[in-house]
Amino acid sequence: LKKREAELADLLAAVRREKLGELRSKPLRIGVVGFGRFGQFIARTFTQHGKVFAASRSDYTDLAAGMGITYHKLSNMDDFLGEGLDVIILAVSIVSFEDTIRQLAPGLRRSIANNEDHRGPLIVDVLSVKEHPREVMLKLLPVECDILCTHPMFGPDSGKNGWHNLNFVYERTRISGALFHPDNHPPPHLLRDTGRVDSKTSLAVASGDLDIHEHFVDIDGRVHDTHEGSDVYAEGMDRVERFLSIWEEEGCRMVALSCREHDEYAANSQFITHLMGRILGAQGLAPTPIDTKGFESVLKLIGTTTAD
């Protein structure tokens, strides 16, 4: 058993090296809208995996240049979109999220109209709530744009020493015009494992009659082949997987979850954590020479919830 375990470990390491080599041979062009503390935090890591461009209201030209990132003012949206971006990450606050989408959408439509393939970039949000950005993006973005809803459940403080074993929640929302069902159908690679079947099509996937890596179920319950019709499906799925692989390669614990389920869970865990952290933070607590481990944990909670 030990020998087999060692052989499997070697095989896994070889696969990861091959996967990383494949990713580096086709680096994504990644745009980050919102270059505040969190935007800078993720952009710095993305520079190790692709070419990164940033846009924000303030002028971060010099800071971005020092990180190897090309910077555009948000007011110059056409210049930013003219960089041939594969992925655009919206690292803005929930307060400005919808306004940012509205500002971005006309430029995206112009860019798509001028593209030879008339395809838009993959749009990714990173807000800590999920149903709101999902609804806004589906409502306002051009249908040619694929949508991925995500929540990196860490920030510049909790992730300062790397992203290993930190949770990354995601929902594939729309790919190549097909809208994934938000509730009844889990992401493709989970269909067989969960056993959540409520139609003949999902039964076929769950039973193994359909390859979970080659098929997905849309909002109407129809099973699609990722290669059907043209290369658009395959390319859309490939782009999403390449982007998700960045987080995976950085060591994140990948959690496929619908936006609805995410918000139900977060309403309990995140709300109480941040509420208590901020209440305690308002008390002006400070470390002392005789702190107990419990009090150190309280101070850590305050630091994480107020700064991350």
Side-chain angles (χ1 to χ4, degrees):
L1 287 176
K2 285 290 185 182
K3 182 180 179 182
R4 288 177 59 192
E5 185 179 38
E7 290 173 347
L8 288 172
D10 290 342
L11 178 60
L12 178 60
V15 169
R16 289 180 67 86
R17 286 194 298 271
E18 183 179 352
K19 181 180 179 181
L20 188 58
E22 185 68 18
L23 289 171
R24 288 174 175 169
S25 71
K26 299 190 297 182
L28 292 169
R29 296 174 69 82
I30 302 171
V32 178
V33 176
F35 206 58
R37 191 163 181 251
F38 187 80
Q40 294 169 27
F41 167 65
I42 58 175
R44 184 176 290 106
T45 296
F46 290 150
T47 58
Q48 303 171 37
H49 300 273
K51 177 62 178 173
V52 181
F53 305 83
S56 198
R57 290 190 178 89
S58 301
D59 188 357
Y60 292 104
T61 303
D62 293 339
L63 176 63
M67 298 165 61
I69 296 170
T70 302
Y71 187 80
H72 297 278
K73 289 289 291 294
L74 198 57
S75 55
N76 299 327
M77 187 59 70
D78 286 343
D79 291 343
F80 176 68
L81 295 175
E83 296 285 5
L85 303 173
D86 297 302
V87 181
I88 296 177
I89 301 166
L90 301 166
V92 298
S93 71
I94 190 170
V95 175
S96 59
F97 185 81
E98 184 169 342
D99 286 342
T100 302
I101 292 287
R102 290 185 182 278
Q103 184 178 353
L104 184 64
L108 283 169
R109 292 189 178 91
R110 289 191 297 271
S111 176
I112 291 167
N114 293 328
N115 288 344
E116 290 184 6
D117 57 6
H118 299 296
R119 293 183 61 202
L122 169 66
I123 309 296
V124 182
D125 92 284
V126 291
L127 288 179
S128 59
V129 296
K130 295 272 56 77
E131 289 211 88
H132 170 67
R134 184 183 194 275
E135 292 172 1
V136 170
M137 290 190 289
L138 287 173
K139 177 183 176 182
L140 299 178
L141 288 173
V143 71
E144 295 87 353
C145 292
D146 295 345
I147 297 174
L148 182 68
C149 294
T150 79
H151 180 194
M153 302 196 69
F154 52 92
D157 290 289
S158 53
K160 64 184 178 182
N161 295 319
W163 301 357
H164 189 67
N165 282 335
L166 299 177
N167 287 338
F168 180 82
V169 179
Y170 65 96
E171 177 200 272
R172 298 176 183 86
T173 300
R174 184 173 71 196
I175 298 178
S176 301
L179 184 62
F180 280 53
H181 196 292
D183 296 320
N184 297 327
H185 298 285
H189 63 282
L190 293 183
L191 283 169
R192 182 180 294 143
D193 297 333
T194 60
R196 280 190 276 178
V197 290
D198 57 307
S199 68
K200 291 181 180 179
T201 54
S202 52
L203 274 168
V205 178
S207 66
D209 294 337
L210 294 174
D211 188 334
I212 53 176
H213 299 292
E214 297 294 328
H215 298 82
F216 66 92
V217 184
D218 70 15
I219 196 166
D220 296 318
R222 294 188 297 267
V223 174
H224 293 266
D225 188 308
T226 58
H227 305 288
E228 66 182 49
S230 69
D231 292 334
V232 174
Y233 281 94
E235 290 172 0
M237 292 290 282
D238 177 68
R239 180 169 60 181
V240 169
E241 295 307 318
R242 285 162 61 199
F243 177 73
L244 290 175
S245 290
I246 294 175
W247 303 85
E248 187 177 11
E249 288 299 324
E250 288 297 322
C252 290
R253 179 174 176 266
M254 307 298 286
V255 183
L257 204 62
S258 75
C259 292
R260 178 187 59 82
E261 290 173 312
H262 169 279
D263 285 359
E264 287 178 357
Y265 292 142
N268 293 318
S269 63
Q270 275 196 290
F271 173 75
I272 194 64
T273 301
H274 282 265
L275 176 65
M276 295 308 299
R278 291 178 185 276
I279 289 175
L280 291 169
Q283 308 308 307
L285 302 179
T288 73
I290 57 170
D291 288 349
T292 63
K293 290 296 182 182
F295 188 71
E296 288 177 357
S297 296
V298 169
L299 294 178
K300 185 178 180 180
L301 173 64
I302 293 171
T304 300
T305 55
T306 57
D308 218 5

